[in-house]
Amino acid sequence: MKACAHKHPHQRQEMSALTDRLRGHSRKITGPRAAILEILRQHPHPLTNKEILAALPKGQCDLATIYRSMHLLEKTGMVKRFHFGDGASRFELVGEGDDGHHHHLVCTKCAEVVEIDDCFPTEVEQRIAAANGFKAVTHRLEFFGICPECQQTLRLK
Amino acid sequence: MKACAHKHPHQRQEMSALTDRLRGHSRKITGPRAAILEILRQHPHPLTNKEILAALPKGQCDLATIYRSMHLLEKTGMVKRFHFGDGASRFELVGEGDDGHHHHLVCTKCAEVVEIDDCFPTEVEQRIAAANGFKAVTHRLEFFGICPECQQTLRLK
DNA sequence: GTTTCAGTTGCAAATCGTTTGCAATTGACT
DNA sequence: AGTCAATTGCAAACGATTTGCAACTGAAAC
Ligand SMILES: [Mn+2]
Ligand SMILES: [Mn+2]
Ligand SMILES: [Zn+2]
Ligand SMILES: [Zn+2]
């Protein structure tokens, strides 16, 4: 029995580990980047760029810089991009060596997000890939519903 | 044994059936709407609004009208909206009585789309919903990979 | 067939998330 | 401290989508 070999989702990463990873890609550790990483570190859920901006000490960093930073972090595999179906991309820190693949359960009323450990069955995915001659097949999967609190709210109306 | 009771994916619908459904929602059958429905009828895959516009006899209808029509058709349950992760929404006609829930396999190189019949296991989804106290849980799921033709192309480079 | 009017449309302007050009700034190395 | 490529802020540009508004048109009612 393996003891949690690789799936430690949402374990807060050390800031030094993060900056080391950036340096490893020969990138500068700038004020804005450190601030952004700090925000991501503190939030174990996907954040939009605007949410990151709002969480930042005001005037700490321009929105355009956040967009550029997220591209960089995505390219270096330090964050994973998620889509919840509204227009905006959301980003979450990814553990070293992890590819960040996982899924969420989102409340369609209040946007609460729950991290989900289940994944689409590999065998079925492989069968789908093979049946259509596709290679390197992966998937995006998100769940949507009404959270307990919003069920309450609805009942009262 | 039931003979294909409800899942007849992508069976081309009669235009009259479509206009009847719209009338059923007390909406006018206008030139633009008929033209849009005709395009959707002919395409068994999700289309962006811009693709619909391009497929339309030129000048047949304004892009804003297509956006408005897709909202209407979505609200009345005649089309289903899909997200492939690029900015744009895509729409597909939904059979009468069907909710249109299904998934796709998309080539990340050439954007070819394959319709998929598999779905996320209901039992697992229910377990996820129950474990988190969520109600009315559903999911969005799309597969991405490299299609046979693009595998060829890549090999040649 | 004509009248009537709410529903619909085209067009332009507005909005939203995101990208980009550019000149000024700044980490990291010497 | 000096150098220089990488980085940033700011404003303009962009692509998808929405919206205000005046003109227009199905379809129900005469
Ligand atoms: Mn997550
Ligand atoms: Mn489809
Ligand atoms: Zn998965
Ligand atoms: Zn499904």
Side-chain angles (χ1 to χ4, degrees):
Chain A
M1 180 195 303
K2 61 176 191 285
C4 282
H6 50 111
K7 195 82 182 277
H8 256 294
H10 316 300
Q11 179 179 269
R12 197 163 294 184
Q13 300 178 59
E14 290 296 335
M15 185 51 116
S16 62
L18 291 172
T19 52
D20 284 352
R21 283 169 77 184
L22 253 194
R23 282 203 196 81
H25 288 273
S26 42
R27 297 316 191 115
K28 293 184 184 172
I29 313 303
T30 65
R33 286 183 184 164
I36 291 169
L37 286 173
E38 186 57 41
I39 298 300
L40 291 174
R41 234 171 58 81
Q42 293 169 9
H43 293 271
H45 288 319
L47 292 179
T48 64
N49 284 342
K50 207 186 289 184
E51 286 169 343
I52 294 173
L53 179 66
L56 238 30
K58 68 176 178 127
Q60 185 82 54
C61 162
D62 191 85
L63 185 54
T65 300
I66 300 182
Y67 276 98
R68 286 191 271 235
S69 295
M70 301 321 291
H71 278 300
L72 170 64
L73 294 174
E74 182 181 31
K75 209 166 35 178
T76 63
M78 293 178 63
V79 305
K80 175 103 179 159
R81 181 189 300 257
F82 293 94
H83 302 287
F84 286 178
D86 59 347
S89 289
R90 280 152 218 273
F91 302 90
E92 207 173 308
L93 266 189
V94 167
E96 171 107 63
D98 188 4
D99 77 342
H101 178 96
H102 68 284
H103 311 291
H104 303 93
L105 170 56
V106 183
C107 177
T108 52
K109 294 293 177 190
C110 71
E112 182 194 332
V113 175
V114 178
E115 303 290 325
I116 299 297
D117 284 328
D118 297 272
C119 189
F120 190 82
T122 310
E123 326 77 59
V124 181
E125 178 167 277
Q126 289 178 349
R127 209 200 62 227
I128 291 171
N132 296 283
F134 274 57
K135 299 285 191 199
V137 170
T138 182
H139 58 266
R140 287 186 194 293
L141 165 65
E142 307 291 354
F143 300 91
F144 300 89
I146 315 274
C147 76
E149 192 167 332
C150 288
Q151 292 166 38
Q152 270 313 116
T153 307
L154 289 179
R155 196 160 297 139
L156 294 175
K157 284 202 304 193
Chain B
M1 179 193 306
K2 61 176 191 285
C4 282
H6 50 112
K7 195 82 182 272
H8 257 293
H10 316 300
Q11 179 178 266
R12 196 162 297 185
Q13 301 179 58
E14 291 296 337
M15 185 52 116
S16 61
L18 292 172
T19 53
D20 284 352
R21 283 169 78 184
L22 252 194
R23 281 202 199 83
H25 289 272
S26 43
R27 297 318 190 113
K28 294 183 185 174
I29 312 303
T30 64
R33 286 183 184 165
I36 291 169
L37 285 174
E38 185 57 41
I39 298 301
L40 291 174
R41 235 171 58 79
Q42 293 166 8
H43 293 271
H45 286 320
L47 293 179
T48 65
N49 284 342
K50 206 186 289 182
E51 286 168 343
I52 294 173
L53 179 65
L56 239 29
K58 64 175 182 126
Q60 185 80 53
C61 162
D62 190 84
L63 185 54
T65 299
I66 300 183
Y67 275 98
R68 286 191 271 236
S69 295
M70 301 322 292
H71 277 301
L72 169 63
L73 294 174
E74 183 182 30
K75 209 167 31 176
T76 63
M78 293 179 62
V79 305
K80 176 102 179 159
R81 182 189 299 255
F82 294 94
H83 301 287
F84 287 179
D86 60 347
S89 288
R90 281 150 218 272
F91 301 89
E92 208 173 306
L93 265 189
V94 167
E96 171 106 59
D98 189 4
D99 77 342
H101 179 96
H102 69 284
H103 311 290
H104 303 94
L105 171 55
V106 183
C107 178
T108 51
K109 294 296 177 190
C110 72
E112 183 193 331
V113 174
V114 178
E115 303 290 324
I116 299 297
D117 284 328
D118 297 272
C119 188
F120 190 82
T122 310
E123 324 78 60
V124 182
E125 179 167 274
Q126 288 177 348
R127 210 201 61 227
I128 291 172
N132 296 283
F134 274 58
K135 300 284 189 199
V137 170
T138 181
H139 59 266
R140 289 185 194 294
L141 165 65
E142 307 291 353
F143 300 91
F144 299 89
I146 315 273
C147 76
E149 192 166 332
C150 288
Q151 290 167 37
Q152 271 310 119
T153 307
L154 289 180
R155 197 160 295 136
L156 294 174
K157 285 202 301 192

